[in-house]
Amino acid sequence: MNLLFIILSTITSLFADEQPVFKGGQKNLASFIYNNLIYPEYSRDNCLQGTVQVSFKLNQQGKIYYSEVTKGFGIDLDKEALRVVRLTSGKWIMPANHDTLVSMVLPVNFTLRDYKCEQRSKDEINAAINAYHAREGLSMVIFNYYDKKSEGNYNPADEARIEAIKMQLGYDDKFIERLLKQAQRKLKQGDSQGACEDFQIIRMLGSSRSATFIEQHCK
């Protein structure tokens, strides 16, 4: 059985004497991250692992009002680390003297086990990261095409080329089904923003399968 292990490092605060505390303490924070994090498909399939540093600021109500990745890989691991840290918003106990301009730093470590990742060389890992960026560029070609198609401003002669790119990237019915289930999982987590991003990707791949969800959750 393949297992996913996520190790959460100790949260740090920059220039603050008293730190905000996650409700239930550090153990609950680690459990929350573990239970809500969805290991990105591309990184999982290509043995991409490591620590992503997420910086965020909290208001006096313990809600995150600013967040960014300060150290990452420029791939889907960064996006997921940022998403799951944002889910902690409103779950922090704030000290009375907390300076809301101070940044908190939460390192999230992605680690795969039983995926034979130890067999991957550094060069292969770097190649996979470069391929991710190339994939993003090709995805934008697809998205732009279907955006124009929805507006009636497109060239039907391009359809075959777009379908070939989709096949090359594995954007088939099975992929859309996985993405739809992932979006529904995010909805259950209370992450309508993340879910709607997935629903919109499905739409921009030329599928109507997310139309009802977009109508219900993404207005």
Side-chain angles (χ1 to χ4, degrees):
M1 178 179 181
N2 290 329
L3 299 175
L4 165 65
F5 290 86
I6 304 156
I7 303 173
L8 183 68
S9 300
T10 302
I11 190 168
T12 58
S13 175
L14 303 180
F15 313 114
D17 294 330
E18 290 188 57
Q19 297 183 19
V21 177
F22 189 81
K23 294 178 181 178
Q26 187 73 15
K27 184 176 181 180
N28 273 15
L29 176 57
S31 178
F32 180 88
I33 297 292
Y34 180 86
N35 290 326
N36 286 279
L37 192 145
I38 302 171
Y39 210 111
E41 182 175 296
Y42 183 87
S43 284
R44 184 196 65 213
D45 293 345
N46 289 277
C47 290
L48 300 180
Q49 312 175 72
T51 300
V52 178
Q53 301 271 1
V54 178
S55 173
F56 61 98
K57 297 179 181 181
L58 298 165
N59 63 22
Q60 291 295 350
Q61 289 71 46
K63 293 184 178 180
I64 295 175
Y65 70 87
Y66 175 81
S67 58
E68 65 174 345
V69 172
T70 53
K71 184 179 180 181
F73 303 91
I75 57 176
D76 50 7
L77 293 182
D78 296 13
K79 297 176 182 178
E80 180 58 17
L82 187 60
R83 185 192 76 85
V84 78
V85 168
R86 286 173 176 170
L87 281 179
T88 69
S89 182
K91 302 181 185 299
W92 296 89
I93 299 172
M94 308 300 295
N97 64 341
H98 177 67
D99 183 352
T100 58
L101 297 180
V102 168
S103 294
M104 309 294 295
V105 179
L106 182 58
V108 180
N109 184 38
F110 294 82
T111 305
L112 289 168
R113 184 174 178 178
D114 296 338
Y115 276 78
K116 299 181 179 179
C117 292
E118 64 279 359
Q119 299 177 10
R120 301 278 286 179
S121 68
K122 185 175 181 180
D123 287 342
E124 288 175 319
I125 295 298
N126 289 334
I129 292 175
N130 291 333
Y132 174 88
H133 294 299
R135 183 185 181 89
E136 290 284 278
L138 288 174
S139 295
M140 288 304 303
V141 173
I142 299 171
F143 298 160
N144 290 335
Y145 173 79
Y146 284 110
D147 270 344
K148 291 180 179 179
K149 185 174 182 179
S150 67
E151 298 169 356
N153 180 27
Y154 75 107
N155 184 354
D158 291 335
E159 188 87 32
R161 180 174 68 92
I162 295 300
E163 289 296 327
I165 296 174
K166 287 167 65 176
M167 183 177 297
Q168 174 188 342
L169 299 181
Y171 291 156
D172 54 15
D173 289 340
K174 290 182 179 179
F175 174 84
I176 289 175
E177 179 65 25
R178 293 194 301 273
L179 194 55
L180 190 61
K181 289 181 178 179
Q182 174 176 287
Q184 291 171 312
R185 180 177 172 184
K186 290 178 181 179
L187 280 179
K188 291 180 179 179
Q189 295 175 348
D191 181 17
S192 59
Q193 178 182 338
C196 286
E197 289 174 359
D198 289 343
F199 290 142
Q200 292 292 353
I201 289 175
I202 293 172
R203 178 189 66 81
M204 291 188 294
L205 288 176
S207 172
S208 61
R209 294 195 59 187
S210 64
T212 300
F213 293 98
I214 291 174
E215 180 67 28
Q216 292 176 346
H217 303 285
C218 307
K219 296 298 183 180

